[in-house]
Amino acid sequence: MSYSIESITESMGARRVGSVPATIDWLLTDSRSLSFPEETLFFALTTKRNDGARYIPDLYARGVRNFVVSEESYRDIESGKLKPTANDQSPVVNYLIVPNPLKALQKLAEQHRGKFQIPVIGITGSNGKTIVKEWLHQLISPERAIVRSPRSYNSQIGVPLSVWQMNEQSELAIFEAGISEPGEMRALQNIIKPTIGILTNIGGAHQENFFSLQEKCMEKLVLFKNCDVVIYNGDDEFISNCVAKSMLSAREIAWSRKDMERPLYISKVEKKEECTVISYRYLDMDNTFTLPFIDDASIENSLNCLAACLYLMLPAEKITERMAKLEPVAMRLEVKEGKNGCLLINDSYNSDLGSLDIALNFLYRRSLVNGLKRTLVLSDILETGQNTPTLYRQVAQLVNSRGIERIIGVGNEIATCAARFDVEKSFYPDTNTLIRAIERGELRLENEIILIKGARKFGFDALTEVLEKKVHETILEVNLGAMIANLNSYRSRLKPEAKTVCMVKASAYGAGSYEIAKTLQEHHVDYLAVAVADEGSELRKAGITASIIIMNPEMTAFKTMFDYKLEPEVYSFHLLEALIKEAEKEGITNFPIHVKVDTGMHRLGFAPEDMPRLIERLKGQNAVIPRSVFSHFVGSDAPQFDAFTRQQIVNFEKASMELQNAFPHKILRHICNSAGIERFPGAQFDMVRLGIGLYGVNPVDNSIMNNVSTLRTTILQIRDVPGEDTVGYSRKGHLSRPSRIAAIPIGYADGLNRHLGNGHAYCLVNGQKAPYVGNICMDVCMIDVTDIDCKEGDMVEIFGDHLPITVLSDILETIPYEILTSVSTRVKRVYYQD
Ligand SMILES: *Cc1c(COP(=O)(O)O)cnc(C)c1O
């Protein structure tokens, strides 16, 4: 649903400075999630750790024109302390000035919520909120269009953003509400206004700010103030008492396994090997369902779901059918290869007992496959409110029951309970001390499967990095300054309003995607593009916030794309259907996609004739939304194809306009690659895609502009070899005279093409040509330095500043792209800016 900026200003009671006309579809609090700058309203929130106003210049550069700011931030803007634009232009923006941007966000969501009369489920409790929400969605979504909180958006910020997703199509809404301090629930109640309340359970999580468990439980019940019905575990006396005390006017569906008088009586719970059979009586009817889980938490979650489904009058046979198919709610555990034969399981995101249990289980199952020793690196577990000895007694029980063979504790609390763990153990006060012990060899990890689990505060990412680090003497030196010079040179050919996508696929053409992406982001490019989802998620994990396009989205990786806000290219109906299906399953709406049209390449893309069908399909759903439409040139670098290129432009113009005309929002159109920018300046449309040119190679004449990458190594050893001897495998390296032969640590496994061997090419040693002698080996090769003044340890240039990459691509009868992208990942990238 969209609102005019005027009506939003009024809803929030804001003071507006600026008069840019605008329609707002999207609310943004996290600059990493930006996708539709023109229709976005950014809230500059101040949190303990961050001041959102800092992101205004970056967002402005990316096209955002509407900002909600505090009086204080606005004073900083007015006084010039905070400059919304990087250079001197005066910005064309709307500022909505309010006393408190968070309150304004909540108020806006409240008014939006007020427009809907549909049932709204509000879920709160200490554990299980997300699972109950996701399961309810699995159970009810075949009947009703559901809007629900994305992942676990349950905070003071997450709830308004969730509620904002309600639209004309919604028939049921499911929102989570989580609190960490007294008084917070009232605000959430106002925004969600649930008609159906579910209290999952009350436990120790987030206890530290509450005086007592009762205070916390009563606070949670505030959510249910105006509900029609409240669902909870009637066997939990504590909860039952709190519900009675809070005097809710709602009807209650308390479920019970003991008390037949309760509205929902659970008559039997029978655990089998891999499932649980549950019988219940509701409104005098007896029914049974099978749950594909056996743990107590899942049983409890399923009973809360059951009560909600019954209240919503979902027929018993539908409930039975769908309960049997419930799927586990995915967790995020990353598996990586470590040094010394180790396997790393990275879960350095949260640390509570529940997630530890799940992660240990995962570790255990993985260890059965590979037989590695089971090791746990665990930090202090924070914010449980439990006392230390009790907590770590439970941890120790878990550790013992899952066959952990070694524990490495980090933090002061866990160390005090060291005696409880009767396995191989060591303890460190903090992460840095642990890392130093590993680097000095005092702590050796070898052939182990290691679960790395810690509260975020402990910064275990640095630990993971050390355990997976790779070292090698050959380096690819990347000149970031040269890359920026190339970027600017292409930018100078663009019309001012044209946006830029920078291609950082294939590790930024071999240069290494993170540093390149970070530098490009600093220079405010509009989009980055990578080939596959993993390349994108790596960038996100490293902190890249710019918009990212995935050019070859794998069907198996949609979840990764949603989680990390990676926008897929869509080129076929098959892919589109799969994407829509997955997005709907995840409760995602309006996920931006980029539509590829085939105008002559005949590789991937919708045919121009597909446009009407595509438009119809896109209009019939709201899971995805076209952000851009594009096509790719076949031969924009060569005059011999100019007629063909012009035909591609005509075809694209027509197909892309057809799509644009079918939608009210702006869809960015683009077709130019590097060569296209240079040779077809009239075809810039809204955006261009810059690839090889960024990395210094002019695709039109193969000249080098500002060289970006230089592959270097050093001489390991030099020897004198008699003229009649040979060098290397299969005696291929014949000599014509007594020679000095140097061995260098680079081989075909590093990306040095084997066809360069046997004198077909050369490298540079102290500026002079040294031909490759004999076959290039896997990790090493030999060069002839007979006529060169050099010694062991001297630098060798394989390609780069003094030996153009095009020399090698010509010898190999290939294109520079292949040379650049062949440098293998074990070659360390080193960056500098001149
Ligand atoms: C790689 C790629 C580009 C960039 O091409 P260059 O020739 O490197 O500029 C542009 N568009 C698409 C679709 C690509 O895959």
Side-chain angles (χ1 to χ4, degrees):
M1 270 170 73
S2 41
Y3 290 89
S4 71
I5 190 77
E6 287 78 16
S7 78
I8 287 186
T9 310
E10 196 184 310
S11 300
M12 298 191 311
R15 177 162 72 91
R16 177 173 167 195
V17 175
S19 55
V20 189
T23 311
I24 300 301
D25 285 310
W26 311 89
L27 305 186
L28 184 74
T29 60
D30 177 344
S31 62
R32 286 168 297 186
S33 304
L34 179 67
S35 43
F36 293 88
E38 295 84 359
E39 295 97 26
T40 291
L41 178 62
F42 177 72
F43 287 77
L45 304 180
T46 325
T47 61
K48 272 182 211 129
R49 277 178 297 144
N50 217 336
D51 178 7
R54 280 181 26 209
Y55 298 97
I56 293 178
D58 171 46
L59 289 165
Y60 182 85
R62 290 159 72 190
V64 179
R65 293 294 175 268
N66 299 286
F67 300 94
V68 179
V69 295
S70 65
E71 295 283 358
E72 196 184 350
S73 303
Y74 186 66
R75 272 199 298 278
D76 288 347
I77 292 166
E78 247 187 338
S79 68
K81 209 161 112 196
L82 180 69
K83 290 209 176 60
T85 54
N87 43 36
D88 286 337
Q89 323 160 343
S90 56
V92 186
V93 297
N94 292 313
Y95 291 113
L96 307 188
I97 304 153
V98 295
N100 179 336
L102 175 61
K103 288 266 154 20
L105 170 68
Q106 296 179 340
K107 200 155 156 190
L108 191 58
E110 246 174 80
Q111 304 210 355
H112 181 67
R113 166 70 182 91
K115 296 196 161 41
F116 300 90
Q117 305 297 331
I118 59 174
V120 173
I121 303 180
I123 307 175
T124 191
S126 302
N127 303 106
K129 293 187 290 290
T130 304
I131 296 175
V132 169
K133 179 193 71 192
E134 292 302 316
W135 280 2
L136 279 174
H137 178 259
Q138 291 179 26
L139 291 163
I140 305 173
S141 62
E143 264 80 33
R144 303 201 195 194
I146 298 180
V147 44
R148 67 192 199 278
S149 329
R151 268 163 262 132
S152 44
Y153 268 36
N154 61 29
S155 65
Q156 299 287 312
I157 300 169
V159 166
L161 295 177
S162 303
V163 167
W164 185 256
Q165 298 194 345
M166 295 175 84
N167 60 40
E168 295 92 339
Q169 280 88 46
S170 315
E171 295 168 321
L172 172 70
I174 312 177
F175 301 122
E176 286 179 46
I179 49 169
S180 50
E181 283 173 33
E184 289 185 337
M185 194 56 99
R186 239 184 74 83
L188 300 186
Q189 192 276 332
N190 263 328
I191 305 167
I192 299 177
K193 292 193 191 68
T195 59
I196 302 169
I198 301 179
L199 181 62
T200 56
N201 60 23
I202 294 288
H206 303 289
Q207 178 62 38
E208 73 274 24
N209 291 323
F210 289 91
F211 184 65
S212 69
L213 214 53
Q214 172 156 349
E215 182 195 352
K216 185 165 73 168
C217 187
M218 296 301 282
E219 167 81 18
K220 296 206 173 203
L221 289 170
V222 168
L223 180 64
F224 303 151
K225 210 170 68 183
N226 296 319
C227 279
D228 301 327
V229 64
V230 175
I231 293 165
Y232 63 94
N233 175 357
D235 292 338
D236 188 321
E237 273 180 44
F238 176 73
I239 292 182
S240 296
N241 285 337
C242 290
V243 172
K245 270 209 192 79
S246 61
M247 306 217 288
L248 299 166
S249 56
R251 176 179 156 196
E252 289 173 22
I253 304 186
W255 50 265
S256 172
R257 292 166 66 166
K258 303 175 200 151
D259 182 355
M260 287 180 68
E261 301 303 311
R262 291 288 197 172
L264 174 57
Y265 173 54
I266 310 302
S267 48
K268 198 164 163 199
V269 174
E270 201 184 341
K271 286 193 193 182
K272 303 265 175 76
E273 194 114 303
E274 281 175 343
C275 62
T276 310
V277 181
I278 298 175
S279 305
Y280 63 95
R281 168 172 293 188
Y282 180 72
L283 301 177
D284 290 331
M285 300 283 283
D286 287 302
N287 281 296
T288 298
F289 67 89
T290 302
L291 181 72
F293 300 90
I294 51 170
D295 60 290
D296 292 336
S298 294
I299 294 171
E300 182 172 75
N301 291 331
S302 77
L303 295 176
N304 283 317
C305 291
L306 173 68
C309 290
L310 291 169
Y311 175 76
L312 289 167
M313 298 194 289
L314 191 65
E317 62 279 6
K318 292 251 159 86
I319 296 179
T320 304
E321 179 194 319
R322 289 175 199 159
M323 281 282 188
K325 290 191 211 141
L326 283 184
E327 287 172 20
V329 175
M331 352 157 279
R332 297 210 190 134
L333 291 175
E334 254 186 317
V335 181
K336 294 179 172 175
E337 217 158 307
K339 286 199 277 195
N340 308 324
C342 290
L343 200 62
L344 313 177
I345 301 175
N346 195 9
D347 187 7
S348 50
Y349 189 72
N350 55 9
S351 75
D352 56 79
L353 278 180
S355 68
L356 177 63
D357 190 12
I358 295 169
L360 283 172
N361 216 334
F362 184 79
L363 169 82
Y364 185 76
R365 274 181 282 128
R366 289 294 289 236
S367 75
L368 296 180
V369 185
N370 53 41
L372 298 172
K373 173 173 169 182
R374 288 182 288 270
T375 299
L376 168 67
V377 183
L378 181 68
S379 78
D380 285 351
I381 297 181
L382 306 171
E383 299 180 2
T384 61
Q386 258 174 320
N387 74 25
T388 310
T390 321
L391 176 65
Y392 291 98
R393 190 165 61 240
Q394 288 173 344
V395 172
Q397 265 166 13
L398 279 178
V399 164
N400 294 334
S401 70
R402 293 294 152 69
I404 292 294
E405 292 160 275
R406 175 182 199 178
I407 182 163
I408 298 167
V410 180
N412 295 323
E413 278 188 14
I414 193 168
T416 61
C417 301
R420 296 199 184 277
F421 300 97
D422 22 335
V423 293
E424 184 184 343
K425 58 193 165 190
S426 40
F427 293 86
Y428 299 85
D430 54 53
T431 310
N432 279 338
T433 317
L434 168 59
I435 289 176
R436 274 202 303 277
I438 295 170
E439 284 177 342
R440 290 203 205 107
E442 293 158 13
L443 179 79
R444 197 159 164 75
L445 297 160
E446 195 166 16
N447 299 326
E448 293 167 52
I449 176 164
I450 307 169
L451 171 62
I452 300 170
K453 182 141 182 69
R456 250 197 298 187
K457 198 183 111 185
F458 283 86
F460 273 7
D461 293 348
L463 174 65
T464 314
E465 174 138 3
V466 170
L467 293 177
E468 63 171 353
K469 206 171 76 186
K470 313 144 196 161
V471 275
H472 200 244
E473 288 186 42
T474 297
I475 60 165
L476 184 74
E477 216 173 61
V478 179
N479 181 345
L480 296 170
M483 181 192 64
I484 292 307
N486 294 326
L487 173 68
N488 289 337
S489 136
Y490 277 93
R491 275 182 162 172
S492 69
R493 303 169 200 238
L494 299 181
K495 45 185 194 184
E497 65 276 17
K499 294 176 188 274
T500 316
V501 185
C502 284
M503 308 307 287
V504 294
K505 60 190 179 190
S507 274
Y509 289 48
S513 40
Y514 169 65
E515 289 288 341
I516 297 289
K518 182 160 164 282
T519 308
L520 291 168
Q521 173 171 301
E522 282 161 6
H523 285 79
H524 305 298
V525 304
D526 301 280
Y527 270 97
L528 301 173
V530 295
V532 295
D534 277 351
E535 291 184 283
S537 63
E538 289 307 317
L539 289 179
R540 284 281 182 259
K541 281 181 220 161
I544 296 297
T545 57
S547 299
I548 297 178
I549 304 178
I550 307 294
M551 306 302 287
N552 296 312
E554 316 96 300
M555 304 250 190
T556 47
F558 292 145
K559 184 77 169 49
T560 308
M561 296 176 217
F562 301 147
D563 286 350
Y564 291 99
K565 200 68 208 303
L566 306 169
E567 308 175 8
E569 161 185 324
V570 173
Y571 52 77
S572 72
F573 287 107
H574 182 58
L575 178 63
L576 179 65
E577 290 304 334
L579 178 65
I580 291 176
K581 185 160 167 239
E582 185 78 10
E584 286 179 344
K585 194 173 127 217
E586 296 286 330
I588 303 256
T589 51
N590 289 316
F591 202 75
I593 61 168
H594 301 267
V595 174
K596 184 184 239 178
V597 183
D598 176 17
T599 55
M601 176 77 91
H602 298 330
R603 186 172 64 178
L604 297 172
F606 290 96
E609 310 82 80
D610 288 338
M611 283 300 121
R613 187 179 150 208
L614 176 63
I615 289 166
E616 190 185 302
R617 183 65 186 102
L618 287 173
K619 291 207 140 196
Q621 55 82 51
N622 70 346
V624 302
I625 181 169
R627 174 63 179 140
S628 87
V629 53
F630 72 102
S631 190
H632 197 29
F633 284 136
V634 170
S636 55
D637 54 330
Q640 74 201 91
F641 303 120
D642 281 358
F644 191 83
T645 303
R646 277 192 286 272
Q647 187 56 47
Q648 281 195 283
I649 297 171
V650 170
N651 296 348
F652 177 66
E653 166 78 43
K654 182 162 173 296
S656 62
M657 269 327 278
E658 206 174 329
L659 186 72
Q660 172 65 84
N661 287 338
F663 290 89
H665 69 278
K666 171 93 190 152
I667 301 177
L668 301 170
R669 301 193 294 154
H670 46 114
I671 191 166
C672 277
N673 55 358
S674 303
I677 298 172
E678 183 170 337
R679 299 195 57 249
F680 294 89
Q684 291 171 12
F685 294 93
D686 301 309
M687 191 146 88
V688 297
R689 299 186 306 273
L690 182 56
I692 191 80
L694 201 52
Y695 305 99
V697 181
N698 182 330
V700 176
D701 61 6
N702 259 7
S703 66
I704 301 293
M705 300 178 286
N706 300 284
N707 181 57
V708 172
S709 293
T710 300
L711 182 59
R712 303 182 186 288
T713 187
T714 53
I715 296 178
L716 287 182
Q717 191 178 28
I718 296 179
R719 71 176 75 246
D720 291 311
V721 181
E724 59 281 11
D725 279 11
T726 59
V727 174
Y729 281 123
S730 308
R731 306 207 63 188
K732 285 281 189 187
H734 298 285
L735 303 174
S736 55
R737 54 176 179 167
S739 305
R740 288 185 82 212
I741 300 296
I744 56 177
I746 182 169
Y748 56 81
D750 299 287
L752 186 67
N753 195 304
R754 209 166 155 276
H755 294 111
L756 296 172
N758 295 311
H760 290 123
Y762 58 88
C763 54
L764 296 181
V765 177
N766 297 332
Q768 288 177 274
K769 294 179 184 178
Y772 295 104
V773 187
N775 284 334
I776 288 174
C777 315
M778 187 185 288
D779 309 307
V780 181
C781 66
M782 279 68 80
I783 52 178
D784 186 338
V785 293
T786 311
D787 299 322
I788 303 174
D789 180 15
C790 63
K791 56 184 188 310
E792 289 174 4
D794 278 1
M795 195 114 75
V796 180
E797 180 174 321
I798 306 295
F799 65 71
D801 290 345
H802 307 98
L803 175 49
I805 188 164
T806 42
V807 170
L808 301 189
S809 59
D810 286 348
I811 291 171
L812 292 169
E813 295 179 46
T814 182
I815 48 178
Y817 300 71
E818 189 182 354
I819 309 283
L820 283 173
T821 56
S822 296
V823 179
S824 78
T825 49
R826 81 175 186 192
V827 174
K828 192 170 171 195
R829 270 65 175 171
V830 176
Y831 299 88
Y832 71 103
Q833 201 141 12
D834 59 4

